[in-house]
Amino acid sequence: MSIKVDDDGFSWLIKNIIFQELKIRNMSNEFVHSITVPRIYKFTADIVRRVRENGASLKTLIYEKKHPNVAGIYGLAVNTLQALSQLDQLLDKTQILTEQPRLNPWLARVLITELLWRKGCLKSHSKPVLTILTYENKLREESQSLGCIETLVAHRGKVQRPRYVRVNTLLLSVEKAIFFLQKDGWQLLPKSTTYPSYLQSLSQLAKPYFIQDLHVPELLAFPPSTVFHEHSGYQNGELILQDKASSLPVHLLDPINGSVVLDMCAAPGMKTTQVAAKLQNYGKVYAVEVNAKRFEILLNQIKKTRSFCVEPLNQDVLTLDPKLYSHVEYILVDPSCSGSGIVDRPKQNNMDGKPESKRLQNLQAFQVYLLRYALFNFPNVKRIIYSTCSLHPEENEQVVDQVLANIGNAYHLLPVRQLLKNNWTNFSSKKYNCGDRCLYSKPDEDFCNGFFVAIFERNFDVTLPKCKLKGGNEYRNLVEANLDVMAKTTVDKREKDEKEKKKEKRDKKKKDEKEKEEISTSDEQIKTSKIDNKVKTKRSKKEVEKMNIYSNLSNFNNKSAMNKSKDIQKETLENMGLKTSRKKRKSMHENAFQLEIDYDSQEQNKETETKLSKIKKKKKKENKSIIKIDKIYFQKQEPDEESVIGLSKKRKRNK
């Protein structure tokens, strides 16, 4: 089919329409995101992926995003992570990812979680949401056959616990906070007098009621799933969302106003700012955090709560110089742990027993190291709190027992039962050396996260013992070790210097002897070369003299006779010269060889010099006598014309 168009503009329009249609057809197999995916699903999918693949912290990632619906993202992320094994089975059964290869697998998991186990529907009209909805019936059928609903519902019952809110007494008193909350419609229940009655009130909490905590007076408990993220008190730092288990260590530390506190593992800053509130910003709190991202969260929390007495330190706490922090009086040791006590903490991997036990051993080693460092290196510390959000004895009683074996009577464990006036039910096991003096919080019984707390109090009547194990007396041992090393190095240096001096003397002696030998040999060579030069010069002089004699003799003869007898004279003179030169050369070589043998010492050199002078004199005399003999010989043997002619005839005949 051909289209004839006369107008150029109209033909361009037709071409453009055809091009756009072809483009749409080519894009039919791709997701056209004309309607964007809701941000809560995108953010949650990214968080779940990073937690699963990189092992990142769920809470840290959520607060990094700064999304207004933090509670919604947190709940959706937790449920998705808890259901990962069921989600993988559903994706495999329905073949969604195979049939829809461009669908983000993590976004698909989040959407399925929202559809099946949270809201029960997906209201967005974006392409990924519509794709999941086309598989809704298959997903529901397969989830029922796999028994996923029962599993998640059973887990949902365990997660229920009150919403705890701590009043920041730096900005707002507890009385004013209760007053403002009552104005918002909340009703305060009467304060319980015993722990069992308090637990009963917590179990029956429902809107619009809330209750003041029995142990921590600035802590308020609200019904489960109460949202405070949009509350003005939370946004301006007056109300802090902090679990009761997390607030107990600072409550038991109980620092006095004006004291100095060290928080060894400070981020995200809940306990740090609670200490600042306890001190009412009168004193000093050193908040140490090594991780850069967590340190930023710590800074934000300090700024938000107006905790001006806090000095944040972004470094490894083990690199602190205890000498500079010797004035510290209270220490919080809340190290990294397995987090097994956190109720809503999702399972991030499927590790079996062996890797988990190995991980617990590694954590335990670090925890013991850090606790020893706190106990042995700060001489003025009065009380140290050790706490974890773990329910494993490897991180709790076993750590305390290892440290108790080193501290002697310099510290003693305070019984938490007495501090809480018997208003607690769960404590450490008596089968360990620490006995039941430490505190446990158990989620199912205490309606808060699982936690462990041990309190060490200093006995200043007993001197602090030395501990050679890791973390113990770190600063003192370091100084002593340095002194020992310095003493050892000085002794080694002296010995080394003496050896080097002796070696230098030996080397110098050898060098001097070698130089003497080289000088003596060079002197001999120079002397022999001088002798050879003198002999050569004498030879040349003699030859010159002989040539002069030859020239004088030739002048006596006639020109004709000399021309005829020139060959004969040359032959005779050459024969005579060769004989004398051979004899002289032989004698000179013999003398030079004799001189080389005799130049072994300085005395011999002197003798050889005297001998050489005598030889020179003799040779001069011999040369003079030779010259005289040659003159006489040539005078007697002056050839005349007749004799020369006769000799030439005889030679011809002989030939």
Side-chain angles (χ1 to χ4, degrees), residues 20 98 100 127 135 142 151 416 525 615 635 641 645:
Q20 292 296 333
T98 305
Q100 304 293 336
K127 185 68 176 177
Y135 290 86
E142 294 296 338
T151 304
V416 181
Q525 289 176 357
I615 290 165
Q635 284 176 0
E641 190 174 352
I645 294 165

Side-chain angles (χ1 to χ4, degrees), residues 372-435:
R372 278 206 194 107
Y373 187 81
L375 289 164
F376 285 95
N377 295 286
F378 299 91
N380 294 313
V381 71
K382 298 174 183 176
R383 185 175 287 186
I384 295 174
I385 293 286
Y386 173 74
S387 62
T388 68
C389 52
S390 171
L391 298 174
H392 296 304
E394 291 88 344
E395 301 177 271
N396 300 328
E397 289 99 334
Q398 291 183 17
V399 171
V400 173
D401 279 4
Q402 285 193 51
V403 173
L404 285 175
N406 309 130
I407 60 176
N409 295 323
Y411 287 91
H412 65 274
L413 274 179
L414 283 179
V416 181
R417 189 192 302 271
Q418 294 179 11
L419 292 176
L420 296 179
K421 299 176 182 179
N422 291 322
N423 283 321
W424 201 262
T425 55
N426 294 303
F427 301 96
S428 53
S429 176
K430 290 184 178 180
K431 69 178 183 180
Y432 296 99
N433 294 331
C434 61

Side-chain angles (χ1 to χ4, degrees), residues 67-229:
H67 192 277
N69 190 7
V70 174
I73 292 176
Y74 185 76
L76 182 56
V78 167
N79 289 336
T80 305
L81 286 165
Q82 288 167 354
L84 279 179
S85 58
Q86 291 90 345
L87 289 168
D88 290 340
Q89 290 176 1
L90 287 174
L91 291 172
D92 184 51
K93 292 281 186 182
T94 56
Q95 295 291 308
I96 294 175
L97 298 179
T98 305
E99 295 174 4
Q100 304 293 336
R102 295 192 60 80
L103 180 62
N104 186 318
W106 294 106
L107 181 59
R109 291 180 175 94
V110 170
L111 293 173
I112 293 169
T113 303
E114 184 81 323
L115 176 64
L116 298 182
W117 303 305
R118 283 180 62 83
K119 291 183 178 180
C121 62
L122 296 171
K123 294 181 180 180
S124 172
H125 295 285
S126 62
K127 185 68 176 177
V129 171
L130 295 175
T131 303
I132 293 296
L133 288 174
T134 57
Y135 290 86
E136 182 178 0
N137 294 330
K138 280 187 178 181
L139 288 168
R140 292 191 183 279
E141 289 174 5
E142 294 296 338
S143 66
Q144 287 177 1
S145 64
L146 293 171
C148 301
I149 295 174
E150 289 77 7
T151 304
L152 290 176
V153 168
H155 185 77
R156 223 185 253 178
K158 293 182 180 179
V159 171
Q160 298 300 311
R161 61 188 173 88
R163 165 65 73 190
Y164 291 98
V165 176
R166 178 173 62 84
V167 179
N168 181 14
T169 54
L170 291 173
L171 303 177
L172 188 68
S173 66
V174 177
E175 291 76 15
K176 282 187 178 180
I178 291 171
F179 174 73
F180 290 136
L181 288 166
Q182 286 175 338
K183 282 185 72 174
D184 292 338
W186 290 97
Q187 297 181 22
L188 180 66
L189 292 173
K191 192 171 182 179
S192 302
T193 56
T194 62
Y195 192 51
S197 63
Y198 173 69
L199 291 176
Q200 188 176 0
S201 298
L202 287 179
S203 64
Q204 296 175 357
L205 266 182
K207 285 183 179 182
Y209 298 102
F210 73 104
I211 190 171
Q212 189 175 7
D213 187 69
L214 176 66
H215 305 101
V216 185
E218 63 269 21
L219 199 66
L220 306 175
F222 292 83
S225 304
T226 304
V227 177
F228 272 96
H229 291 91

Side-chain angles (χ1 to χ4, degrees), residues 523-539 584-585 587-599 605 608-613 615-616 619:
D523 290 340
E524 290 175 1
Q525 289 176 357
I526 290 164
K527 286 177 181 178
T528 51
S529 63
K530 284 181 180 179
I531 292 166
D532 291 336
N533 290 330
K534 286 180 181 179
V535 170
K536 287 178 182 178
T537 51
K538 285 179 181 179
R539 261 190 230 149
K584 288 174 185 177
R585 283 177 187 171
S587 63
M588 290 303 294
H589 283 300
E590 289 175 356
N591 291 332
F593 180 74
Q594 189 63 33
L595 287 171
E596 289 177 358
I597 294 168
D598 294 336
Y599 285 154
N605 290 335
T608 51
E609 284 178 0
T610 53
K611 287 179 181 180
L612 282 169
S613 61
I615 290 165
K616 288 175 184 177
K619 285 183 178 179

Side-chain angles (χ1 to χ4, degrees), residues 391-544:
L391 298 174
H392 296 304
E394 291 88 344
E395 301 177 271
N396 300 328
E397 289 99 334
Q398 291 183 17
V399 171
V400 173
D401 279 4
Q402 285 193 51
V403 173
L404 285 175
N406 309 130
I407 60 176
N409 295 323
Y411 287 91
H412 65 274
L413 274 179
L414 283 179
V416 181
R417 189 192 302 271
Q418 294 179 11
L419 292 176
L420 296 179
K421 299 176 182 179
N422 291 322
N423 283 321
W424 201 262
T425 55
N426 294 303
F427 301 96
S428 53
S429 176
K430 290 184 178 180
K431 69 178 183 180
Y432 296 99
N433 294 331
C434 61
D436 60 351
R437 288 172 287 179
C438 305
L439 176 143
Y440 261 114
S441 66
K442 295 185 178 180
D444 297 335
E445 299 176 24
D446 298 307
F447 294 103
C448 61
N449 283 328
F451 227 77
F452 175 85
V453 182
I455 308 168
F456 294 86
E457 193 165 70
R458 179 78 164 91
N459 181 9
F460 289 100
D461 295 332
V462 179
T463 56
L464 199 64
K466 290 184 179 181
C467 179
K468 295 181 180 179
L469 298 173
K470 288 183 177 180
N473 303 109
E474 193 79 14
Y475 178 70
R476 193 188 300 174
N477 289 344
L478 182 64
V479 173
E480 289 176 359
N482 287 337
L483 291 173
D484 292 338
V485 170
M486 287 171 69
K488 191 176 180 182
T489 50
T490 51
V491 172
D492 293 340
K493 194 175 180 182
R494 286 176 187 173
E495 292 178 356
K496 193 176 180 181
D497 291 339
E498 289 178 0
K499 288 179 181 179
E500 285 180 354
K501 285 180 181 179
K502 288 179 181 179
K503 191 178 179 182
E504 285 178 0
K505 286 181 181 180
R506 288 197 299 269
D507 294 339
K508 193 175 181 182
K509 194 174 181 181
K510 288 179 180 179
K511 193 175 180 181
D512 293 338
E513 290 176 356
K514 193 173 181 181
E515 285 178 354
K516 285 180 182 179
E517 290 177 359
E518 288 177 355
I519 290 165
S520 61
T521 52
S522 62
D523 290 340
E524 290 175 1
Q525 289 176 357
I526 290 164
K527 286 177 181 178
T528 51
S529 63
K530 284 181 180 179
I531 292 166
D532 291 336
N533 290 330
K534 286 180 181 179
V535 170
K536 287 178 182 178
T537 51
K538 285 179 181 179
R539 261 190 230 149
S540 61
K541 284 180 181 179
K542 287 176 184 178
E543 289 175 356
V544 169

